[in-house]
Amino acid sequence: MKRGPATLAQPAGRRRGVALIVAMWIVVALAGLVLIMSNAVRIEAGAIANRMSLAKVEAAMAGAEKYVLALVAEEIQDPGASEDYELEAIPIGDCFVWIIRPNYDDDGEFDFGLIDESARIDINTATRDMLLELPGMTENIADAIIDWRDSDSTVSSQGAEDEYYLTLPDPYRTKNGPFESVEELLLVRDITTDLLFGYDSNRNGVIDPHEAEDVGLSAVINQANRGIAPFVTAWGLQAASSNQDGSSGAGPDGGSRININAQDTNNLRTMLEEVLGESRAEEIANRTAAERPFANVFEYRFEVGLTLDEFTQVFPRIYAGQSQGQGPGQDDEQPTVALVNVNRAPAEVLLCLPGLDEADVSAIISDRESHVDDPANIAWLSETLTQEKVVAIGGLVTGSSQCFSAEIVVVSGDGRAFKHCRVVVDARQGTP
């Protein structure tokens, strides 16, 4: 008798083993799915937290900008007032704000406060000789800067116009107009980031330890290592309020200052009588009529024989304007050369003024500390420098400013977000 094929039955233990393995794979798959979903939720939660922190930083930045406007307003009314504020780690909501600026005494340390734009050399109006005194500057770069900003297409001695820029791999034309920012200098021939920013690669105003290590610097760091950026501005013409610069402005009592070059000396005589007395006023007014025109008020002091005390009293009330048909109290055109605020300019900037050497600059920096009560009145400069030197720079200097900038850094309290912003505040029209 024949038998059919035997049916192989699955043992019960084996069936249970297969089920267990399948269940384990399902558990692993579900666990993986849970992990993936939880990771996605975690990432989304982090992103939401980041967005919330960024929103807080944006709001704090807006608040910091308003704070800077208030600081400038106070600074205009009371020069030096902003120096009394602690501008490091200011709490605004859940964020912290720093208002940073270059430390001209130590480029390895931060300083905090407003930046006076008139304490820098204006690249839009500086002469070739002034530009050449900047750290690392060369004749060909100075000429290229002037060619970039002037209105013509004539190549200066060692400068560059369209003939050069149109041959570049990415060609462009010479602007033939004023610079709108310091960074625009990078478009000018031969200007590199090394010249402009030095070793300050993250552009925070100091040479950080890692930046010093990257270039092998020693512990002693000099100012040139930050490039020329801390010493130049594109907003100098907006910076200086007129004191002796060829425009009328306002005197100490809010009235118009008097043009010492005006043909009619009646207003000048009246002012001099009020300040110096009738006899002395007559003498000075007669000398004024005989010696005018004057290049600036410092020349005026020496030509008419004012003492330092007399000049200090008269200085805020006069200016050297146009001489042909110009009547007292009439507004002149604004100056075409940006003035340097000798009260705040660092040594590198003061050395750019014509004829000054290191001894002169040291004397200015030393003497200005004694005149902080009335910084706008820089009559003292006529005693600090020789007559020849103070007359040479008299039309290029001022004691006050109307334009400030601020480098604002905001960091959220949880460290998730930050923002670095530069604002420029113009207060020439009154309200910043």
Side-chain angles (χ1 to χ4, degrees):
M1 181 177 175
K2 294 183 178 180
R3 298 183 178 179
T7 301
L8 299 177
Q10 291 283 346
R14 181 176 295 181
R15 289 198 298 272
R16 288 195 295 270
V18 171
L20 178 61
I21 292 173
V22 171
M24 290 177 63
W25 275 112
I26 293 173
V27 170
V28 169
L30 290 174
L33 183 61
V34 169
L35 288 174
I36 292 173
M37 294 179 64
S38 63
N39 187 57
V41 170
R42 183 182 63 81
I43 292 174
E44 183 61 25
I48 292 173
N50 289 342
R51 288 194 290 270
M52 289 181 62
S53 295
L54 181 59
K56 292 178 180 179
V57 163
E58 295 282 357
M61 179 62 74
E65 291 172 4
K66 296 293 184 182
Y67 185 54
V68 167
L69 290 176
L71 285 176
V72 172
E74 186 168 358
E75 182 69 26
I76 296 299
Q77 294 296 321
D78 182 14
S82 64
E83 301 298 324
D84 297 332
Y85 290 86
E86 290 291 337
L87 301 179
E88 178 183 3
I90 309 166
I92 298 183
D94 294 336
C95 301
F96 294 91
V97 175
W98 288 259
I99 301 176
I100 63 175
R101 65 183 176 189
N103 185 330
Y104 292 115
D105 296 324
D106 186 349
D107 61 8
E109 296 290 338
F110 281 104
D111 194 13
F112 305 94
L114 299 175
I115 299 171
D116 186 343
E117 291 301 317
S118 67
R120 299 177 170 190
I121 294 299
D122 187 354
I123 53 177
N124 283 318
T125 65
T127 65
R128 183 177 189 268
D129 289 340
M130 293 172 71
L131 291 172
L132 284 173
E133 295 300 324
L134 290 167
M137 188 59 63
T138 62
E139 291 186 354
N140 61 305
I141 294 177
D143 286 340
I145 290 173
I146 293 174
D147 279 343
W148 182 270
R149 78 191 190 196
D150 64 22
S151 59
D152 60 59
S153 297
T154 303
V155 180
S156 58
S157 177
Q158 300 182 50
E161 291 281 356
D162 284 352
E163 291 85 348
Y164 168 77
Y165 296 106
L166 290 177
T167 62
L168 296 175
D170 295 315
Y172 52 91
R173 292 187 178 276
T174 314
K175 186 174 187 180
N176 289 335
F179 289 90
E180 296 174 46
S181 70
V182 169
E183 288 77 8
E184 191 180 327
L185 281 169
L186 291 172
L187 294 174
V188 177
R189 187 199 63 189
D190 294 337
I191 293 186
T192 63
T193 55
D194 287 341
L195 175 64
L196 192 56
F197 303 118
Y199 303 127
D200 184 20
S201 59
N202 61 9
R203 297 176 57 187
N204 65 350
V206 301
I207 306 299
D208 297 306
H210 72 274
E211 292 171 332
E213 292 172 1
D214 289 344
V215 293
L217 294 179
S218 65
V220 179
I221 304 175
N222 59 58
Q223 298 290 346
N225 290 333
R226 284 185 293 191
I228 65 173
F231 312 119
V232 296
T233 180
W235 305 294
L237 274 180
Q238 290 92 331
S241 62
S242 303
N243 274 320
Q244 70 289 337
D245 47 77
S247 55
S248 55
D253 56 359
S256 296
R257 289 183 292 124
I258 297 169
N259 182 9
I260 55 178
N261 286 326
Q263 297 295 321
D264 186 350
T265 60
N266 288 331
N267 284 7
L268 177 64
R269 190 185 303 269
T270 299
M271 182 274 293
L272 290 173
E273 288 179 358
E274 177 187 339
V275 176
L276 306 179
E278 185 174 347
S279 175
R280 183 63 169 154
E282 180 72 16
E283 179 184 357
I284 298 300
N286 290 338
R287 289 183 184 177
T288 301
E291 299 294 338
R292 66 170 179 253
F294 306 96
N296 52 65
V297 296
F298 293 100
E299 183 180 58
Y300 177 70
R301 180 213 163 172
F302 295 110
E303 292 295 328
V304 302
L306 290 170
T307 66
L308 178 60
D309 181 63
E310 291 172 336
F311 185 48
T312 301
Q313 296 179 68
V314 169
F315 182 89
R317 303 170 183 267
I318 59 175
Y319 72 102
Q322 299 174 6
S323 60
Q324 299 299 322
Q326 182 69 47
Q330 296 179 355
D331 288 342
D332 294 347
E333 294 181 356
Q334 288 297 313
T336 56
V337 177
L339 308 182
V340 173
N341 188 337
V342 294
N343 290 319
R344 292 196 176 105
E348 290 80 2
V349 171
L350 293 174
L351 281 170
C352 294
L353 295 174
L356 298 191
D357 55 30
E358 291 186 1
D360 298 321
V361 169
S362 295
I364 291 173
I365 292 174
S366 176
D367 287 357
R368 69 190 184 187
E369 299 300 325
S370 303
H371 299 87
V372 294
D373 292 337
D374 186 12
N377 191 330
I378 56 173
W380 54 268
L381 201 60
S382 60
E383 289 289 303
T384 300
L385 303 176
T386 65
Q387 176 178 341
E388 179 183 4
K389 289 187 176 183
V390 75
V391 170
I393 69 169
L396 299 173
V397 294
T398 184
S400 57
S401 177
Q402 299 291 322
C403 184
F404 295 83
S405 62
E407 297 274 353
I408 307 172
V409 176
V410 180
V411 179
S412 62
D414 56 14
R416 287 180 174 272
F418 81 97
K419 187 173 184 179
H420 180 188
C421 176
R422 177 197 302 163
V423 296
V424 182
V425 183
D426 186 348
R428 288 175 297 167
Q429 304 303 318
T431 302

